[in-house]
Amino acid sequence: MTIERDSTSQEHPPKQKNAKSHAGGTPAVASALKHVMKTAGPVRGTKALLDLNQTDGFDCPSCAWPDPDDHRATSEFCENGAKAVASEATTRQIGRDFFLKHSIDELLAQSDYWHDQQGRITEPMVLHDGQDHYQPISWDAAFKLIANELNTLDHPDQATFYTSGRASNEAAFLYQLFVRTFGTNNLPDCSNMCHESSGTAMMQSVGVGKGTVTLDDIYQAETIICIGQNPGTNHPRMLSALEKAVENDAQIIAINPLKEAGLVGFAHPQKISGMLGKSTRLASQYLQVNLNGDFALLRALGKEILARKNFDTSFIDEHTQGIEDYRRQCEHSNWDTLTSISGISKKEIQQLADTILRGERKLITCWAMGITQHRNAVATIREITNIHLLIGAIGRPGAGLCPVRGHSNVQGDRTVGIYEKMPETFLAELDREFDLNCPRKHGYDTVESILAMHDGDARVFFALGGNFLQASPDTHFTGKALSKCSLTCHVSTKLNRSHLVTGKTGLILPCLGRSERDTQNEGDQFVTCENSMSIVHMSRGKLKPSSPDLLSEPDIIARLAEATVGNRERINWRWLVGDYDRIRDLIERIIPGFNAFNRRVREPGGFYLPNSAKQRTWNTPSAKAVFSAADLDQIQVGKDRLILQSLRSHDQYNTTIYGLNDRYRGIGMGRRIIFLNPKDMKARDIAPVSLVDIISYWQDGERKVENFYAIPYDIPRGTAAAYFPEVNPLIPLHSTALESNTPTSKSIEISINPVP
Ligand SMILES: Nc1nc2c(c(=O)[nH]1)N[C@H]1C(S)=C(S)[C@@H](COP(=O)(O)OP(=O)(O)OC[C@H]3O[C@@H](n4cnc5c(=O)[nH]c(N)nc54)[C@H](O)[C@@H]3O)O[C@H]1N2
Ligand SMILES: Nc1nc2c(c(=O)[nH]1)N[C@H]1C(S)=C(S)[C@@H](COP(=O)(O)OP(=O)(O)OC[C@H]3O[C@@H](n4cnc5c(=O)[nH]c(N)nc54)[C@H](O)[C@@H]3O)O[C@H]1N2
Ligand SMILES: [Mo]
């Protein structure tokens, strides 16, 4: 079985043009409309766009950046949000005929791009042991099959239940309730591969695992650092907020090994000036840091601030602990080491210090995967916090920490219990409310789930959304792990590679998408999501469901729960999903901050969940915010090796490939490419756009992917970049961030060999 088919069917070299100097503008509008009209058609497409991100419409499934509290434009979405909606609202469909026509092997030979192009899955499908085609199965039979598998395990811990971050609060709450009633905490999620490092670090430093700022803070900030993040592609609506901040005299600092167009400048696609191609300059200082050089850069910045004695003594005295150890670390570190590791000169770091120390020192730091997916990610995020603590830039207007979340409800899923290590207070509340005896043993996270499946310790894999095979590290190993299961089951909207590498039995349970009307016993329902700034708000789909046989995610979970664990005195699963207000009432009873949930979420725009660090209350053991004094810990690679990061192109949503271009980076018609520094290419005799194989190294041996086009690019020497998920086969399963166990998708030791 070959599972590592290229993500695209690329036989021709990609086209390379100059990278763009700003994001947005008319090309963004044109690209958005093209995708929507082509895939969803004028009627369905236009309706979807008019509802997108409106207070009474549905939440954009593309990212977790918040919508303005007031003054929403009729087009409160971005190019990439429109592509996500087009992909979901497509009029194309696949059902029994499609699966009868295409065998598993045929489907495996197609690219991820092709898979997404086929359309929405319309009915439940099963792949029986030994068969090479999926067949239709009734919903009842599907639930019976899963319940039977689950109930014949020796122990509930032999099943693992993944969640991708699109699930609503209602679906996620019900899901974790079912899983814990069944008897396990095996609730891995995409967050394990995403912002886990942020949550881990922030809990240690400031006692809360979420960002502490609102959009108003962004507008009021004097300095905004965007580090390890590419908002022009992944959070395009953030650019409007940054533009507004710049108009209010904020300085934006970009810290990124690549010159990303969206950080350099922005032409607002919904403003006349933007349409005419006039762009606002965003970053006033662009630091092209070495890959994984951020810790050294931040340590140097702290050293500089301490040397200037320009810190906030009263904040430090009243609110923090540990400054002495941190100061010692800064004093002992040496400028030459810090500048050579970071690749940023002392002068540039001093200029950065000048910027953040001006005015009232209202600093916000925004970060994403460029920080969280390294071995030292947790320590680096604590180092970001150190800078904020030094100048008291947290818990006051215009200042704070802003981990920019990926999936639109990944933060909400955590809030309502999707976590393999939920705290005792939460579990005790579940026990009390539902008269349960929730397991206390921590469950498997994503990497541990893969290992458990591989070792035969987990035998049933269930996924609420996502594309586990392609999103996980070490695609080959993960594929083997999944195929050792007795049952793998996916609740999905679209076909993906995870459906094709199954356990003995494979199931696909097709569900409604965000944009679609969800009708239950008591009428049409809405769901709720929590965005990156802790605003809980409603999302109501209005499009006609793409097939009458689809069920909503909450309904699927309720039926599965009923079939597996049955109703209990205090849980009537099917009754709960008759009206999602009933599920929200339960969330209100269990989770702090949700008081009057059903009333408040109906107010336009929703409501903020409380954030202790924003109030300068520190839920740490010492009740203080904690300075971190970690040792400098830098990835080292062998001679002639490079460090590779895997990132997103402009035409994809994680593993869903919308198209083959990466417009801002100047790449056309290709994904199987590797960006390299021209000098590194020359030193290896690699010609531009020639083919190379990439080999990665880890203690357990080598991994290889073949036939990537080498693209000369403005990237620090000794580093490389290629697209996720094409290079996931290179990421060793055991190469994870310390403390958060997040795969190190941004630092992979590699070498490249020209293809003879
Ligand atoms: N259109 C679209 N939107 C999305 C997604 C999508 O795939 N497509 N995915 C969603 C999800 S789940 C997430 S988590 C977010 C991801 O959003 P991002 O984190 O912006 O996504 P990546 O493409 O992984 O980009 C990582 C950025 O970090 C930089 N970087 C890499 N290594 C380092 C480093 O060592 N130091 C520094 N300073 N920078 C580094 C890279 O050059 C790149 O600019 O986006 C969300 N939104
Ligand atoms: N190398 C590398 N690997 C990475 C990363 C990286 O930067 N580099 N990033 C990591 C990150 S940040 C993340 S978040 C993960 C993402 O991991 P996942 O969340 O598992 O992956 P997605 O690609 O977002 O999932 C796409 C699938 O979700 C299904 N889907 C879409 N909408 C819905 C819906 O409404 N309901 C349901 N039930 N299903 C739906 C569709 O079938 C689609 O095929 O990947 C991680 N993997
Ligand atoms: Mo993510």
Side-chain angles (χ1 to χ4, degrees):
M1 176 182 63
T2 331
I3 57 172
E4 288 153 26
R5 164 70 186 164
D6 315 355
S7 200
T8 51
S9 34
Q10 182 165 321
E11 272 99 38
H12 304 291
K15 299 196 181 87
Q16 187 181 16
K17 291 201 241 164
N18 288 338
K20 296 277 180 288
S21 60
H22 66 260
T26 0
V29 180
S31 159
L33 293 178
K34 191 182 99 195
H35 271 270
V36 173
M37 296 311 153
K38 194 177 120 201
T39 339
V43 179
R44 199 170 158 86
T46 308
K47 171 142 183 50
L49 289 183
L50 285 175
D51 286 344
L52 182 53
N53 285 339
Q54 298 305 310
T55 45
D56 189 41
F58 66 98
D59 183 46
C60 180
S62 192
C63 80
W65 188 257
D67 307 298
D69 285 340
D70 44 23
H71 306 304
R72 289 191 193 182
T74 13
S75 47
E76 193 59 54
F77 59 85
C78 67
E79 176 192 356
N80 280 346
K83 288 182 200 160
V85 169
S87 166
E88 179 179 301
T90 175
T91 46
R92 290 189 164 196
Q93 298 190 335
I94 54 178
R96 58 186 72 194
D97 296 345
F98 172 89
F99 289 102
L100 191 66
K101 183 162 164 220
H102 301 286
S103 71
I104 295 296
D105 279 344
E106 274 175 64
L107 293 174
L108 274 169
Q110 296 291 351
S111 69
D112 293 357
Y113 175 55
W114 188 91
H115 290 156
D116 190 60
Q117 294 296 302
Q118 302 315 302
R120 289 283 299 276
I121 306 168
T122 54
E123 57 182 330
M125 303 297 303
V126 62
L127 181 67
H128 289 298
D129 189 18
Q131 301 281 303
D132 50 12
H133 286 263
Y134 268 102
Q135 299 165 15
I137 180 173
S138 73
W139 280 106
D140 280 347
F143 293 125
K144 231 184 240 161
L145 192 160
I146 308 168
N148 187 43
E149 284 286 345
L150 289 174
N151 287 330
T152 50
L153 292 172
D154 302 328
H155 192 281
D157 285 340
Q158 289 177 325
T160 189
F161 298 86
Y162 178 70
T163 312
S164 167
R166 245 181 224 190
S168 63
N169 290 331
E170 290 73 11
F173 180 82
L174 216 57
Y175 186 51
Q176 64 81 34
L177 182 62
F178 157 61
V179 170
R180 295 193 163 102
T181 306
F182 172 64
T184 179
N185 282 312
N186 289 343
L187 284 158
D189 66 352
C190 66
S191 193
N192 295 144
M193 299 182 268
C194 184
H195 265 292
E196 195 70 62
S197 305
S198 306
T200 307
M202 288 180 67
M203 282 304 289
Q204 297 168 354
S205 299
V206 296
V208 63
K210 301 179 183 181
T212 71
V213 300
T214 64
L215 271 182
D216 273 335
D217 290 317
I218 301 263
Y219 304 149
Q220 291 175 46
E222 293 165 317
T223 307
I224 301 172
I225 298 180
C226 292
I227 181 168
Q229 194 206 348
N230 179 22
T233 285
N234 298 311
H235 304 90
R237 285 177 305 118
M238 181 176 172
L239 299 188
S240 324
L242 293 180
E243 185 186 42
K244 196 160 164 183
V246 169
E247 286 164 2
N248 294 342
D249 289 332
Q251 304 249 340
I252 312 274
I253 314 287
I255 305 179
N256 199 308
L258 305 190
K259 268 251 160 102
E260 303 284 24
L263 291 167
V264 178
F266 174 53
H268 201 310
Q270 283 141 16
K271 286 190 190 166
I272 299 290
S273 57
M275 290 177 196
L276 296 174
K278 210 166 156 267
S279 65
T280 308
R281 182 168 166 224
L282 291 181
S284 60
Q285 192 183 13
Y286 206 115
L287 300 172
Q288 264 185 287
V289 68
N290 277 334
L291 202 53
N292 196 219
D294 307 274
F295 185 103
L297 171 60
L298 293 157
R299 184 55 61 91
L301 180 62
K303 185 176 170 74
E304 178 66 21
I305 295 173
L306 283 164
R308 294 187 192 189
K309 301 203 171 23
N310 198 351
F311 38 83
D312 184 342
T313 322
S314 69
F315 176 83
I316 293 173
D317 290 348
E318 188 184 340
H319 288 286
T320 72
Q321 67 158 100
I323 177 101
E324 288 316 321
D325 288 343
Y326 172 61
R327 185 201 302 272
R328 241 187 318 273
Q329 284 280 25
C330 288
E331 281 165 1
H332 288 168
S333 58
N334 142 334
W335 270 107
D336 288 345
T337 315
L338 297 177
T339 54
S340 99
I341 292 177
S342 64
I344 304 297
S345 71
K346 185 169 179 181
K347 205 168 141 228
E348 289 170 297
I349 291 165
Q350 287 173 329
Q351 189 193 332
L352 173 58
D354 293 342
T355 306
I356 70 172
L357 292 175
R358 74 192 204 294
E360 293 168 48
R361 299 185 286 199
K362 292 193 284 187
L363 168 70
I364 292 177
T365 304
C366 303
W367 73 89
M369 299 304 103
I371 296 298
T372 63
Q373 298 176 333
H374 293 285
R375 190 184 122 84
N376 60 354
V378 174
T380 303
I381 295 159
R382 291 198 308 249
E383 211 63 19
I384 292 175
T385 310
N386 283 346
I387 302 295
H388 283 256
L389 297 183
L390 272 181
I391 58 171
I394 184 167
R396 61 183 169 94
L401 300 168
C402 184
V404 183
R405 303 276 159 183
H407 264 298
S408 47
N409 197 41
V410 63
Q411 186 161 318
D413 291 345
R414 264 299 155 87
T415 304
V416 303
I418 302 297
Y419 187 27
E420 71 282 357
K421 303 192 268 266
M422 270 318 260
E424 173 58 28
T425 42
F426 178 88
L427 300 174
E429 279 300 299
L430 288 186
D431 286 354
R432 182 193 53 74
E433 178 69 35
F434 301 108
D435 193 19
L436 295 177
N437 197 358
C438 289
R440 295 307 199 260
K441 192 177 134 208
H442 288 172
Y444 298 133
D445 64 14
T446 292
V447 167
E448 290 162 348
S449 293
I450 297 168
L451 286 169
M453 288 188 272
H454 191 267
D455 294 348
D457 295 332
R459 295 187 9 229
V460 174
F461 174 81
F462 188 97
L464 184 60
N467 184 357
F468 190 81
L469 174 68
Q470 293 295 86
S472 294
D474 207 335
T475 317
H476 206 75
F477 189 92
T478 300
K480 254 200 274 175
L482 287 167
S483 47
K484 284 188 178 178
C485 288
S486 57
L487 171 71
T488 50
C489 176
H490 293 87
V491 179
S492 308
T493 50
K494 306 280 291 274
L495 178 66
N496 67 46
R497 200 164 296 274
S498 300
H499 303 142
L500 307 176
V501 180
T502 67
K504 230 172 172 182
T505 306
L507 269 176
I508 308 175
L509 307 180
C511 66
L512 291 173
R514 278 262 176 94
S515 55
E516 289 167 324
R517 199 179 321 121
D518 178 354
T519 311
Q520 300 296 335
N521 278 348
E522 309 293 328
D524 286 353
Q525 305 296 315
F526 66 86
V527 293
T528 63
C529 297
E530 175 185 341
N531 63 35
S532 205
M533 292 182 177
S534 304
I535 303 169
V536 180
H537 57 99
M538 62 182 197
S539 171
R540 187 195 291 280
K542 292 186 183 161
L543 295 183
K544 186 169 169 243
S546 63
S547 146
D549 293 328
L550 302 180
L551 297 181
S552 77
E553 291 182 350
D555 197 13
I556 290 175
I557 295 153
R559 291 173 193 233
L560 172 62
E562 188 186 58
T564 311
V565 295
N567 284 332
R568 321 205 128 215
E569 207 183 309
R570 302 206 198 153
I571 316 177
N572 182 329
W573 302 100
R574 297 289 286 278
W575 178 81
L576 280 175
V577 290
D579 180 348
Y580 296 171
D581 276 3
R582 295 166 186 160
I583 307 175
R584 285 185 285 271
D585 282 339
L586 294 179
I587 294 178
E588 172 176 347
R589 295 232 281 276
I590 304 286
I591 303 164
F594 281 92
N595 43 311
F597 189 5
N598 273 310
R599 178 177 62 72
R600 287 196 299 155
V601 84
R602 285 179 163 83
E603 286 165 12
F607 62 92
Y608 281 91
L609 285 175
N611 183 299
S612 50
K614 194 174 173 55
Q615 311 304 324
R616 295 196 164 179
T617 300
W618 316 105
N619 287 332
T620 58
S622 61
K624 298 267 189 193
V626 184
F627 275 99
S628 159
D631 291 328
L632 187 63
D633 163 29
Q634 181 63 22
I635 176 171
Q636 309 281 347
V637 295
K639 193 172 168 303
D640 293 332
R641 305 254 172 95
L642 304 169
I643 315 175
L644 171 74
Q645 64 147 319
S646 55
L647 41 57
R648 292 156 172 79
S649 83
H650 194 62
D651 266 359
Q652 72 183 88
Y653 188 87
N654 297 339
T655 68
T656 302
I657 312 301
Y658 303 137
L660 306 181
N661 302 328
D662 194 0
R663 199 172 72 242
Y664 296 147
R665 299 194 185 107
I667 300 299
M669 296 312 289
R671 290 187 50 89
R672 230 174 146 76
I673 63 172
I674 178 165
F675 296 105
L676 295 164
N677 182 294
K679 289 186 181 144
D680 286 327
M681 291 176 67
K682 200 153 177 231
R684 290 167 179 76
D685 263 337
I686 294 171
V689 205
S690 62
L691 284 171
V692 294
D693 293 339
I694 315 174
I695 298 135
S696 73
Y697 301 89
W698 186 249
Q699 291 126 0
D700 61 358
E702 298 178 3
R703 293 166 175 76
K704 186 173 174 190
V705 293
E706 294 176 342
N707 295 323
F708 278 62
Y709 288 99
I711 302 288
Y713 203 77
D714 179 10
I715 185 170
R717 272 209 84 166
T719 73
Y723 298 130
F724 147 54
E726 280 77 354
V727 290
N728 283 41
L730 291 175
I731 305 174
L733 191 67
H734 289 282
S735 174
T736 58
L738 303 172
E739 301 178 79
S740 67
N741 210 23
T742 295
T744 58
S745 309
K746 297 286 189 278
S747 41
I748 313 158
E749 176 172 2
I750 59 157
S751 68
I752 39 177
N753 290 339
V755 174

